[in-house]
Amino acid sequence: ILAGKESLGAAKLLALVKTLKNQRYFDLAQQLLESRLSAGESASDDAPALAIAQQLALCTYKNTQTPVEERLPRALQVLEKHADLKNTTSPETLGIAGGIYKEWWKYDGQRSRLESSLYYYERGAAAGVEADYGYTALNAAFIQSLLAEQESSTADLSAAVGGTEELRRAGARKLWEAI
């Protein structure tokens, strides 16, 4: 398939990618998906192409064969270019973006990464818990709790600058109740 001697339809390609992901062959899955999604193609209106773009972003960010400094920005570029990240309401797309930023936060500890993760998870959760079985809401609540804990640990400083610990805890509580 990668040599171009055989071609798969979108459904068969996605089934193969699922198998590869289950076996943790994210690098191979990424290569297959990249070979399918052309550079100029926008996937926002085409369900199979959107699923391919989403899976490409997911496999790109989970591909540990590529250095984290390369794979995370590249995964975001896929979502921006092929899945209309700026305007989408797709919980799947938004959940992947949230996951990318959460992974980035784990790598560099930058609070802005955690806040970006929360932004995308909350946008995905806005579709309702039923839309994605609560995945984005669960992650939004988790990130809210993490941010609240960070603010709690620096309570004296937060109080001096009008901290938002209690707002974050209330936001997390609301999402937990929705789930």
Side-chain angles (χ1 to χ4, degrees):
I1 296 168
L2 288 173
K5 296 180 181 186
E6 187 177 337
S7 164
L8 294 178
K12 286 187 177 184
L13 174 66
L14 291 169
L16 176 56
V17 164
K18 182 178 181 179
T19 300
L20 290 168
K21 286 179 0 187
N22 287 340
Q23 298 297 317
R24 311 218 34 91
Y25 290 116
F26 294 107
D27 55 335
L28 187 54
Q30 179 185 350
Q31 290 175 50
L32 285 168
L33 292 160
E34 284 174 339
S35 72
R36 177 63 184 262
L37 196 62
S38 68
E41 187 178 350
S42 175
S44 58
D45 295 331
D46 179 12
L50 177 58
I52 289 169
Q54 291 166 335
Q55 291 305 303
L56 175 56
L58 182 76
C59 291
T60 300
Y61 105 75
K62 290 190 174 222
N63 179 4
T64 58
Q65 302 300 312
T66 304
V68 71
E69 304 90 358
E70 293 175 32
R71 63 185 160 101
L72 299 178
R74 190 180 308 161
L76 282 172
Q77 288 172 344
V78 168
L79 293 179
E80 289 165 354
K81 188 172 197 171
H82 299 288
D84 192 21
L85 182 58
K86 185 177 180 179
N87 301 307
T88 189
T89 58
S90 164
E92 178 75 14
T93 300
L94 295 166
I96 293 168
I100 292 167
Y101 276 106
K102 185 169 58 171
E103 184 71 17
W104 217 335
W105 169 76
K106 289 178 190 175
Y107 173 72
D108 68 10
Q110 295 292 316
R111 182 183 173 90
S112 63
R113 309 279 194 214
L114 206 52
E115 290 171 347
S116 293
S117 178
L118 177 62
Y119 169 75
Y120 288 109
Y121 282 138
E122 284 183 334
R123 276 182 57 198
V129 173
E130 302 79 21
D132 65 353
Y133 303 103
Y135 174 82
T136 52
L138 181 68
N139 279 284
F142 174 72
I143 300 298
Q144 284 273 22
S145 296
L146 275 175
L147 287 166
E149 189 60 36
Q150 285 183 356
E151 289 165 4
S152 174
S153 67
T154 58
D156 293 338
L157 292 174
S158 288
V161 294
T164 59
E165 174 194 354
E166 202 47 49
L167 288 173
R168 296 227 189 260
R169 290 196 190 284
R173 204 169 16 259
K174 181 178 177 184
L175 288 164
W176 290 121
E177 288 170 3
I179 293 167

PDB file of all heavy atoms in Angstrom, residues 68-98:
ATOM      1  N   VAL A  68       9.058  14.577  20.191  1.00  0.00           N
ATOM      2  CA  VAL A  68       7.855  15.266  20.644  1.00  0.00           C
ATOM      3  C   VAL A  68       7.788  16.700  20.099  1.00  0.00           C
ATOM      4  O   VAL A  68       6.708  17.188  19.776  1.00  0.00           O
ATOM      5  CB  VAL A  68       7.740  15.205  22.185  1.00  0.00           C
ATOM      6  CG1 VAL A  68       8.774  16.073  22.868  1.00  0.00           C
ATOM      7  CG2 VAL A  68       6.359  15.556  22.651  1.00  0.00           C
ATOM      8  N   GLU A  69       8.939  17.361  19.967  1.00  0.00           N
ATOM      9  CA  GLU A  69       8.956  18.739  19.476  1.00  0.00           C
ATOM     10  C   GLU A  69       8.492  18.834  18.028  1.00  0.00           C
ATOM     11  O   GLU A  69       8.094  19.903  17.572  1.00  0.00           O
ATOM     12  CB  GLU A  69      10.375  19.348  19.555  1.00  0.00           C
ATOM     13  CG  GLU A  69      10.999  19.332  20.909  1.00  0.00           C
ATOM     14  CD  GLU A  69      11.803  18.056  21.180  1.00  0.00           C
ATOM     15  OE1 GLU A  69      11.852  17.147  20.333  1.00  0.00           O
ATOM     16  OE2 GLU A  69      12.363  17.967  22.279  1.00  0.00           O
ATOM     17  N   GLU A  70       8.557  17.735  17.299  1.00  0.00           N
ATOM     18  CA  GLU A  70       8.109  17.702  15.903  1.00  0.00           C
ATOM     19  C   GLU A  70       6.670  17.184  15.780  1.00  0.00           C
ATOM     20  O   GLU A  70       5.872  17.719  15.031  1.00  0.00           O
ATOM     21  CB  GLU A  70       9.025  16.806  15.071  1.00  0.00           C
ATOM     22  CG  GLU A  70      10.420  17.322  14.906  1.00  0.00           C
ATOM     23  CD  GLU A  70      11.308  16.324  14.165  1.00  0.00           C
ATOM     24  OE1 GLU A  70      10.801  15.580  13.292  1.00  0.00           O
ATOM     25  OE2 GLU A  70      12.512  16.284  14.474  1.00  0.00           O
ATOM     26  N   ARG A  71       6.378  16.116  16.510  1.00  0.00           N
ATOM     27  CA  ARG A  71       5.093  15.439  16.298  1.00  0.00           C
ATOM     28  C   ARG A  71       3.890  16.224  16.806  1.00  0.00           C
ATOM     29  O   ARG A  71       2.829  16.205  16.184  1.00  0.00           O
ATOM     30  CB  ARG A  71       5.108  14.026  16.853  1.00  0.00           C
ATOM     31  CG  ARG A  71       5.296  13.890  18.331  1.00  0.00           C
ATOM     32  CD  ARG A  71       5.417  12.404  18.713  1.00  0.00           C
ATOM     33  NE  ARG A  71       6.036  12.221  19.988  1.00  0.00           N
ATOM     34  CZ  ARG A  71       5.378  11.964  21.099  1.00  0.00           C
ATOM     35  NH1 ARG A  71       4.063  11.863  21.081  1.00  0.00           N
ATOM     36  NH2 ARG A  71       6.025  11.808  22.230  1.00  0.00           N
ATOM     37  N   LEU A  72       4.025  16.918  17.926  1.00  0.00           N
ATOM     38  CA  LEU A  72       2.866  17.643  18.460  1.00  0.00           C
ATOM     39  C   LEU A  72       2.484  18.832  17.589  1.00  0.00           C
ATOM     40  O   LEU A  72       1.303  18.970  17.224  1.00  0.00           O
ATOM     41  CB  LEU A  72       3.105  18.035  19.915  1.00  0.00           C
ATOM     42  CG  LEU A  72       3.335  16.850  20.867  1.00  0.00           C
ATOM     43  CD1 LEU A  72       3.605  17.341  22.278  1.00  0.00           C
ATOM     44  CD2 LEU A  72       2.191  15.870  20.831  1.00  0.00           C
ATOM     45  N   PRO A  73       3.421  19.693  17.179  1.00  0.00           N
ATOM     46  CA  PRO A  73       3.025  20.767  16.266  1.00  0.00           C
ATOM     47  C   PRO A  73       2.505  20.238  14.928  1.00  0.00           C
ATOM     48  O   PRO A  73       1.557  20.782  14.356  1.00  0.00           O
ATOM     49  CB  PRO A  73       4.315  21.580  16.063  1.00  0.00           C
ATOM     50  CG  PRO A  73       5.210  21.214  17.184  1.00  0.00           C
ATOM     51  CD  PRO A  73       4.813  19.822  17.608  1.00  0.00           C
ATOM     52  N   ARG A  74       3.109  19.153  14.445  1.00  0.00           N
ATOM     53  CA  ARG A  74       2.669  18.571  13.170  1.00  0.00           C
ATOM     54  C   ARG A  74       1.233  18.043  13.285  1.00  0.00           C
ATOM     55  O   ARG A  74       0.421  18.213  12.369  1.00  0.00           O
ATOM     56  CB  ARG A  74       3.612  17.450  12.755  1.00  0.00           C
ATOM     57  CG  ARG A  74       3.361  16.964  11.338  1.00  0.00           C
ATOM     58  CD  ARG A  74       4.290  15.858  10.914  1.00  0.00           C
ATOM     59  NE  ARG A  74       5.685  16.204  11.126  1.00  0.00           N
ATOM     60  CZ  ARG A  74       6.664  15.300  11.184  1.00  0.00           C
ATOM     61  NH1 ARG A  74       6.407  14.009  11.053  1.00  0.00           N
ATOM     62  NH2 ARG A  74       7.911  15.678  11.364  1.00  0.00           N
ATOM     63  N   ALA A  75       0.899  17.422  14.400  1.00  0.00           N
ATOM     64  CA  ALA A  75      -0.462  16.914  14.600  1.00  0.00           C
ATOM     65  C   ALA A  75      -1.469  18.067  14.615  1.00  0.00           C
ATOM     66  O   ALA A  75      -2.551  17.965  14.037  1.00  0.00           O
ATOM     67  CB  ALA A  75      -0.546  16.113  15.890  1.00  0.00           C
ATOM     68  N   LEU A  76      -1.115  19.161  15.274  1.00  0.00           N
ATOM     69  CA  LEU A  76      -1.996  20.333  15.276  1.00  0.00           C
ATOM     70  C   LEU A  76      -2.157  20.902  13.882  1.00  0.00           C
ATOM     71  O   LEU A  76      -3.255  21.324  13.492  1.00  0.00           O
ATOM     72  CB  LEU A  76      -1.466  21.406  16.220  1.00  0.00           C
ATOM     73  CG  LEU A  76      -1.719  21.154  17.691  1.00  0.00           C
ATOM     74  CD1 LEU A  76      -0.977  22.178  18.544  1.00  0.00           C
ATOM     75  CD2 LEU A  76      -3.200  21.177  18.006  1.00  0.00           C
ATOM     76  N   GLN A  77      -1.088  20.922  13.104  1.00  0.00           N
ATOM     77  CA  GLN A  77      -1.165  21.413  11.727  1.00  0.00           C
ATOM     78  C   GLN A  77      -2.141  20.582  10.893  1.00  0.00           C
ATOM     79  O   GLN A  77      -2.878  21.122  10.073  1.00  0.00           O
ATOM     80  CB  GLN A  77       0.211  21.413  11.068  1.00  0.00           C
ATOM     81  CG  GLN A  77       1.123  22.492  11.589  1.00  0.00           C
ATOM     82  CD  GLN A  77       2.547  22.350  11.060  1.00  0.00           C
ATOM     83  OE1 GLN A  77       2.939  21.300  10.542  1.00  0.00           O
ATOM     84  NE2 GLN A  77       3.326  23.411  11.207  1.00  0.00           N
ATOM     85  N   VAL A  78      -2.145  19.282  11.118  1.00  0.00           N
ATOM     86  CA  VAL A  78      -3.080  18.414  10.399  1.00  0.00           C
ATOM     87  C   VAL A  78      -4.517  18.832  10.712  1.00  0.00           C
ATOM     88  O   VAL A  78      -5.347  18.978   9.808  1.00  0.00           O
ATOM     89  CB  VAL A  78      -2.855  16.925  10.752  1.00  0.00           C
ATOM     90  CG1 VAL A  78      -3.997  16.057  10.239  1.00  0.00           C
ATOM     91  CG2 VAL A  78      -1.519  16.441  10.207  1.00  0.00           C
ATOM     92  N   LEU A  79      -4.812  19.050  12.000  1.00  0.00           N
ATOM     93  CA  LEU A  79      -6.169  19.447  12.380  1.00  0.00           C
ATOM     94  C   LEU A  79      -6.523  20.832  11.837  1.00  0.00           C
ATOM     95  O   LEU A  79      -7.651  21.059  11.404  1.00  0.00           O
ATOM     96  CB  LEU A  79      -6.326  19.425  13.904  1.00  0.00           C
ATOM     97  CG  LEU A  79      -6.259  18.052  14.561  1.00  0.00           C
ATOM     98  CD1 LEU A  79      -6.396  18.182  16.073  1.00  0.00           C
ATOM     99  CD2 LEU A  79      -7.334  17.124  14.005  1.00  0.00           C
ATOM    100  N   GLU A  80      -5.567  21.742  11.862  1.00  0.00           N
ATOM    101  CA  GLU A  80      -5.835  23.085  11.347  1.00  0.00           C
ATOM    102  C   GLU A  80      -6.076  23.059   9.845  1.00  0.00           C
ATOM    103  O   GLU A  80      -6.990  23.712   9.344  1.00  0.00           O
ATOM    104  CB  GLU A  80      -4.658  24.017  11.676  1.00  0.00           C
ATOM    105  CG  GLU A  80      -4.569  24.340  13.151  1.00  0.00           C
ATOM    106  CD  GLU A  80      -3.238  24.959  13.568  1.00  0.00           C
ATOM    107  OE1 GLU A  80      -2.302  25.052  12.724  1.00  0.00           O
ATOM    108  OE2 GLU A  80      -3.125  25.339  14.747  1.00  0.00           O
ATOM    109  N   LYS A  81      -5.288  22.290   9.135  1.00  0.00           N
ATOM    110  CA  LYS A  81      -5.345  22.276   7.674  1.00  0.00           C
ATOM    111  C   LYS A  81      -6.480  21.417   7.122  1.00  0.00           C
ATOM    112  O   LYS A  81      -7.122  21.786   6.148  1.00  0.00           O
ATOM    113  CB  LYS A  81      -4.013  21.766   7.132  1.00  0.00           C
ATOM    114  CG  LYS A  81      -3.862  21.882   5.654  1.00  0.00           C
ATOM    115  CD  LYS A  81      -2.450  21.533   5.259  1.00  0.00           C
ATOM    116  CE  LYS A  81      -2.167  22.034   3.871  1.00  0.00           C
ATOM    117  NZ  LYS A  81      -0.762  21.905   3.532  1.00  0.00           N
ATOM    118  N   HIS A  82      -6.733  20.289   7.751  1.00  0.00           N
ATOM    119  CA  HIS A  82      -7.670  19.324   7.169  1.00  0.00           C
ATOM    120  C   HIS A  82      -8.973  19.154   7.938  1.00  0.00           C
ATOM    121  O   HIS A  82      -9.890  18.506   7.435  1.00  0.00           O
ATOM    122  CB  HIS A  82      -6.994  17.957   7.041  1.00  0.00           C
ATOM    123  CG  HIS A  82      -5.798  17.969   6.153  1.00  0.00           C
ATOM    124  ND1 HIS A  82      -5.874  18.079   4.785  1.00  0.00           N
ATOM    125  CD2 HIS A  82      -4.474  17.899   6.447  1.00  0.00           C
ATOM    126  CE1 HIS A  82      -4.669  18.066   4.265  1.00  0.00           C
ATOM    127  NE2 HIS A  82      -3.796  17.962   5.255  1.00  0.00           N
ATOM    128  N   ALA A  83      -9.065  19.682   9.157  1.00  0.00           N
ATOM    129  CA  ALA A  83     -10.272  19.452   9.963  1.00  0.00           C
ATOM    130  C   ALA A  83     -10.880  20.760  10.489  1.00  0.00           C
ATOM    131  O   ALA A  83     -11.717  20.727  11.373  1.00  0.00           O
ATOM    132  CB  ALA A  83      -9.950  18.507  11.121  1.00  0.00           C
ATOM    133  N   ASP A  84     -10.434  21.888   9.955  1.00  0.00           N
ATOM    134  CA  ASP A  84     -10.991  23.201  10.315  1.00  0.00           C
ATOM    135  C   ASP A  84     -11.044  23.400  11.829  1.00  0.00           C
ATOM    136  O   ASP A  84     -12.081  23.716  12.400  1.00  0.00           O
ATOM    137  CB  ASP A  84     -12.380  23.370   9.684  1.00  0.00           C
ATOM    138  CG  ASP A  84     -12.885  24.798   9.776  1.00  0.00           C
ATOM    139  OD1 ASP A  84     -12.081  25.731   9.950  1.00  0.00           O
ATOM    140  OD2 ASP A  84     -14.116  24.986   9.671  1.00  0.00           O
ATOM    141  N   LEU A  85      -9.909  23.215  12.475  1.00  0.00           N
ATOM    142  CA  LEU A  85      -9.829  23.265  13.936  1.00  0.00           C
ATOM    143  C   LEU A  85     -10.383  24.568  14.500  1.00  0.00           C
ATOM    144  O   LEU A  85     -11.027  24.568  15.553  1.00  0.00           O
ATOM    145  CB  LEU A  85      -8.380  23.062  14.395  1.00  0.00           C
ATOM    146  CG  LEU A  85      -8.134  23.043  15.898  1.00  0.00           C
ATOM    147  CD1 LEU A  85      -8.957  21.945  16.573  1.00  0.00           C
ATOM    148  CD2 LEU A  85      -6.659  22.851  16.187  1.00  0.00           C
ATOM    149  N   LYS A  86     -10.176  25.652  13.814  1.00  0.00           N
ATOM    150  CA  LYS A  86     -10.614  26.955  14.321  1.00  0.00           C
ATOM    151  C   LYS A  86     -12.136  27.039  14.465  1.00  0.00           C
ATOM    152  O   LYS A  86     -12.637  27.628  15.410  1.00  0.00           O
ATOM    153  CB  LYS A  86     -10.111  28.058  13.392  1.00  0.00           C
ATOM    154  CG  LYS A  86     -10.409  29.449  13.877  1.00  0.00           C
ATOM    155  CD  LYS A  86      -9.809  30.473  12.946  1.00  0.00           C
ATOM    156  CE  LYS A  86     -10.117  31.875  13.446  1.00  0.00           C
ATOM    157  NZ  LYS A  86      -9.530  32.889  12.560  1.00  0.00           N
ATOM    158  N   ASN A  87     -12.874  26.429  13.539  1.00  0.00           N
ATOM    159  CA  ASN A  87     -14.333  26.579  13.503  1.00  0.00           C
ATOM    160  C   ASN A  87     -15.123  25.320  13.828  1.00  0.00           C
ATOM    161  O   ASN A  87     -16.339  25.380  13.976  1.00  0.00           O
ATOM    162  CB  ASN A  87     -14.767  27.071  12.114  1.00  0.00           C
ATOM    163  CG  ASN A  87     -14.130  28.389  11.767  1.00  0.00           C
ATOM    164  OD1 ASN A  87     -14.211  29.348  12.523  1.00  0.00           O
ATOM    165  ND2 ASN A  87     -13.453  28.439  10.625  1.00  0.00           N
ATOM    166  N   THR A  88     -14.478  24.199  13.925  1.00  0.00           N
ATOM    167  CA  THR A  88     -15.202  22.935  14.085  1.00  0.00           C
ATOM    168  C   THR A  88     -15.971  22.855  15.400  1.00  0.00           C
ATOM    169  O   THR A  88     -15.602  23.479  16.392  1.00  0.00           O
ATOM    170  CB  THR A  88     -14.240  21.731  13.981  1.00  0.00           C
ATOM    171  OG1 THR A  88     -15.027  20.528  13.922  1.00  0.00           O
ATOM    172  CG2 THR A  88     -13.311  21.653  15.174  1.00  0.00           C
ATOM    173  N   THR A  89     -17.029  22.079  15.359  1.00  0.00           N
ATOM    174  CA  THR A  89     -17.769  21.737  16.575  1.00  0.00           C
ATOM    175  C   THR A  89     -17.688  20.231  16.832  1.00  0.00           C
ATOM    176  O   THR A  89     -18.356  19.721  17.718  1.00  0.00           O
ATOM    177  CB  THR A  89     -19.247  22.167  16.471  1.00  0.00           C
ATOM    178  OG1 THR A  89     -19.827  21.530  15.317  1.00  0.00           O
ATOM    179  CG2 THR A  89     -19.379  23.681  16.361  1.00  0.00           C
ATOM    180  N   SER A  90     -16.871  19.536  16.053  1.00  0.00           N
ATOM    181  CA  SER A  90     -16.725  18.090  16.172  1.00  0.00           C
ATOM    182  C   SER A  90     -16.027  17.723  17.482  1.00  0.00           C
ATOM    183  O   SER A  90     -14.853  18.046  17.680  1.00  0.00           O
ATOM    184  CB  SER A  90     -15.898  17.545  15.004  1.00  0.00           C
ATOM    185  OG  SER A  90     -15.430  16.242  15.279  1.00  0.00           O
ATOM    186  N   PRO A  91     -16.729  17.023  18.382  1.00  0.00           N
ATOM    187  CA  PRO A  91     -16.084  16.609  19.627  1.00  0.00           C
ATOM    188  C   PRO A  91     -14.844  15.747  19.393  1.00  0.00           C
ATOM    189  O   PRO A  91     -13.876  15.831  20.152  1.00  0.00           O
ATOM    190  CB  PRO A  91     -17.166  15.817  20.358  1.00  0.00           C
ATOM    191  CG  PRO A  91     -18.442  16.317  19.798  1.00  0.00           C
ATOM    192  CD  PRO A  91     -18.142  16.644  18.359  1.00  0.00           C
ATOM    193  N   GLU A  92     -14.846  14.948  18.347  1.00  0.00           N
ATOM    194  CA  GLU A  92     -13.691  14.099  18.038  1.00  0.00           C
ATOM    195  C   GLU A  92     -12.473  14.953  17.715  1.00  0.00           C
ATOM    196  O   GLU A  92     -11.393  14.759  18.278  1.00  0.00           O
ATOM    197  CB  GLU A  92     -14.018  13.171  16.861  1.00  0.00           C
ATOM    198  CG  GLU A  92     -12.876  12.281  16.434  1.00  0.00           C
ATOM    199  CD  GLU A  92     -12.610  11.117  17.376  1.00  0.00           C
ATOM    200  OE1 GLU A  92     -13.456  10.816  18.229  1.00  0.00           O
ATOM    201  OE2 GLU A  92     -11.530  10.508  17.255  1.00  0.00           O
ATOM    202  N   THR A  93     -12.640  15.901  16.817  1.00  0.00           N
ATOM    203  CA  THR A  93     -11.534  16.788  16.446  1.00  0.00           C
ATOM    204  C   THR A  93     -11.054  17.587  17.649  1.00  0.00           C
ATOM    205  O   THR A  93      -9.850  17.697  17.908  1.00  0.00           O
ATOM    206  CB  THR A  93     -11.975  17.741  15.316  1.00  0.00           C
ATOM    207  OG1 THR A  93     -12.365  16.962  14.174  1.00  0.00           O
ATOM    208  CG2 THR A  93     -10.863  18.692  14.915  1.00  0.00           C
ATOM    209  N   LEU A  94     -11.996  18.145  18.395  1.00  0.00           N
ATOM    210  CA  LEU A  94     -11.650  18.969  19.551  1.00  0.00           C
ATOM    211  C   LEU A  94     -11.002  18.141  20.662  1.00  0.00           C
ATOM    212  O   LEU A  94     -10.083  18.611  21.339  1.00  0.00           O
ATOM    213  CB  LEU A  94     -12.889  19.705  20.048  1.00  0.00           C
ATOM    214  CG  LEU A  94     -13.437  20.723  19.035  1.00  0.00           C
ATOM    215  CD1 LEU A  94     -14.840  21.169  19.426  1.00  0.00           C
ATOM    216  CD2 LEU A  94     -12.502  21.907  18.878  1.00  0.00           C
ATOM    217  N   GLY A  95     -11.452  16.909  20.829  1.00  0.00           N
ATOM    218  CA  GLY A  95     -10.848  16.027  21.821  1.00  0.00           C
ATOM    219  C   GLY A  95      -9.410  15.674  21.461  1.00  0.00           C
ATOM    220  O   GLY A  95      -8.541  15.602  22.338  1.00  0.00           O
ATOM    221  N   ILE A  96      -9.146  15.480  20.179  1.00  0.00           N
ATOM    222  CA  ILE A  96      -7.778  15.188  19.742  1.00  0.00           C
ATOM    223  C   ILE A  96      -6.894  16.411  19.991  1.00  0.00           C
ATOM    224  O   ILE A  96      -5.777  16.282  20.506  1.00  0.00           O
ATOM    225  CB  ILE A  96      -7.750  14.749  18.265  1.00  0.00           C
ATOM    226  CG1 ILE A  96      -8.450  13.387  18.106  1.00  0.00           C
ATOM    227  CG2 ILE A  96      -6.319  14.689  17.735  1.00  0.00           C
ATOM    228  CD1 ILE A  96      -8.743  12.991  16.670  1.00  0.00           C
ATOM    229  N   ALA A  97      -7.399  17.603  19.665  1.00  0.00           N
ATOM    230  CA  ALA A  97      -6.625  18.825  19.913  1.00  0.00           C
ATOM    231  C   ALA A  97      -6.347  18.987  21.403  1.00  0.00           C
ATOM    232  O   ALA A  97      -5.219  19.320  21.802  1.00  0.00           O
ATOM    233  CB  ALA A  97      -7.370  20.043  19.369  1.00  0.00           C
ATOM    234  N   GLY A  98      -7.351  18.744  22.231  1.00  0.00           N
ATOM    235  CA  GLY A  98      -7.149  18.803  23.677  1.00  0.00           C
ATOM    236  C   GLY A  98      -6.099  17.813  24.142  1.00  0.00           C
ATOM    237  O   GLY A  98      -5.256  18.125  24.994  1.00  0.00           O
TER     238      GLY A  98
END
